[in-house]
Amino acid sequence: MDSIFPPKLTADIPETEHLPKYKEFLFDGTVTLCVGPHRRRIEIHKKLLASISPELNKHVNNDMKEGIEGIIYLPDDEEKVLALYTEWAYTGEYAYEDDKPVVISYGSSTGNPTQSKQNPWQNLHMHLQLYVFSDKFNIPTLKKLAGSEFYQNISPVVPQTNEDAVGLLMVITFAFDNLPDSDPILKFLAQYASWKLALLRGREGFNQLILTQAAFMKELLVNLTGLPTKPMPPHTYPHLQPPTRPRRGPWD
């Protein structure tokens, strides 16, 4: 199987080439993004938004209610994702670090936690959410950047714990639920799952993935290593077992 770790994608990423000069949009008015089920409002300059995404441009510049009122409703997207998107739209970059560390006990005799580490899976999930958002609204520059951040952040991770298994399954499930089957991240994650099959096998989330995601199952099987020897029928069917030579007596 090929290495599951992709080549670095950071070189020559056109992070800011799509951005207009500030004077071209600062005095052109804003639109309102109503985000999530609670419709939290984010203001962003109309011309900037339209220049970044052909899909969002259709929402902004039309004669329908959204275009006339200058309000775009995004009920299925999270506030954090839109905050990162807005940060990138104005600066050409974004930064995200999960603020919920995972505390892990390493067998201290006192029973107290001896070390804490940052949870990598929430970070990976957020990069993947931004990647999916960029795919949905056709923002290739941001999609490439978010994909690069996802690959760079997952490369040093070596899943070992129950928390790692839960986090990995969360990331895989989100990706297969929201990306087209042709997306290379899906193939990568299926390969990653085959690499950590012993950690994932038998877990509810993993079983659900196998039952509901044919693309995941197909790619997983492609990357599994088969048995080293031919399987034999169970012992409950002795007539199917290979013949054995009779034991020789001392007189033979």
Side-chain angles (χ1 to χ4, degrees):
M1 184 181 72
D2 296 335
S3 170
I4 63 171
F5 297 111
K8 291 184 178 180
L9 303 177
T10 55
D12 300 324
I13 294 177
E15 295 182 14
T16 60
E17 67 177 18
H18 68 285
L19 292 177
K21 295 179 181 179
Y22 285 99
K23 65 180 182 180
E24 294 182 358
F25 65 80
L26 283 179
F27 303 100
D28 195 51
T30 63
V31 294
T32 302
L33 308 179
C34 291
V35 184
H38 301 296
R39 296 188 174 183
R40 292 289 301 274
R41 299 166 72 91
I42 295 178
E43 299 289 330
I44 187 170
H45 284 88
K46 180 178 179 179
K47 193 169 183 178
L48 174 63
L49 184 75
S51 69
I52 290 172
S53 166
E55 295 301 319
L56 289 174
N57 180 44
K58 295 176 184 177
H59 290 271
V60 170
N61 294 303
N62 61 61
D63 295 328
M64 301 177 67
K65 184 178 180 181
E66 278 187 334
I68 295 172
E69 295 182 350
I71 299 175
I72 301 175
Y73 296 94
L74 302 170
D76 299 324
D77 296 292
E78 290 192 11
E79 296 170 22
K80 287 184 178 180
V81 175
L82 267 294
L84 292 177
Y85 163 72
T86 304
E87 178 184 352
W88 170 83
Y90 282 98
T91 67
E93 58 186 8
Y94 72 91
Y96 176 77
E97 286 294 334
D98 179 46
D99 57 1
K100 298 178 181 178
V102 177
V103 178
I104 300 176
S105 175
Y106 287 88
S108 171
S109 59
T110 62
N112 295 323
T114 57
Q115 185 174 343
S116 65
K117 70 173 184 178
Q118 202 76 11
N119 179 359
W121 304 106
Q122 290 298 335
N123 287 343
L124 290 165
H125 186 222
M126 185 57 64
H127 291 306
L128 202 55
Q129 284 179 288
L130 197 56
Y131 182 87
V132 168
F133 178 86
S134 304
D135 181 72
K136 179 168 64 173
F137 290 106
N138 191 17
I139 314 172
T141 307
L142 179 57
K143 182 180 177 181
K144 187 173 182 179
L145 177 60
S148 174
E149 291 292 332
F150 174 79
Y151 283 130
Q152 287 190 59
N153 279 270
I154 200 172
S155 291
V157 177
V158 180
Q160 296 177 329
T161 67
N162 180 65
E163 288 81 5
D164 287 330
V166 172
L168 176 55
L169 287 171
M170 171 187 67
V171 167
I172 295 174
T173 300
F174 176 80
F176 276 86
D177 282 346
N178 291 280
L179 289 171
D181 290 349
S182 59
D183 195 285
I185 280 184
L186 298 187
K187 180 176 181 179
F188 168 79
L189 286 173
Q191 292 175 344
Y192 202 98
S194 71
W195 175 51
K196 281 297 172 180
L197 184 59
L199 182 66
L200 301 178
R201 185 187 288 116
R203 295 178 183 273
E204 180 65 27
F206 184 68
N207 294 340
Q208 193 66 21
L209 262 174
I210 291 174
L211 291 174
T212 60
Q213 295 290 352
F216 173 76
M217 184 63 176
K218 178 181 177 181
E219 193 62 40
L220 184 71
L221 290 174
V222 167
N223 290 280
L224 288 181
T225 302
L227 292 174
T229 59
K230 179 181 178 181
M232 297 305 298
H235 292 290
T236 51
Y237 298 90
H239 63 288
L240 297 178
Q241 297 297 316
T244 57
R245 294 183 60 187
R247 294 185 60 181
R248 298 171 66 106
W251 53 88
D252 294 334

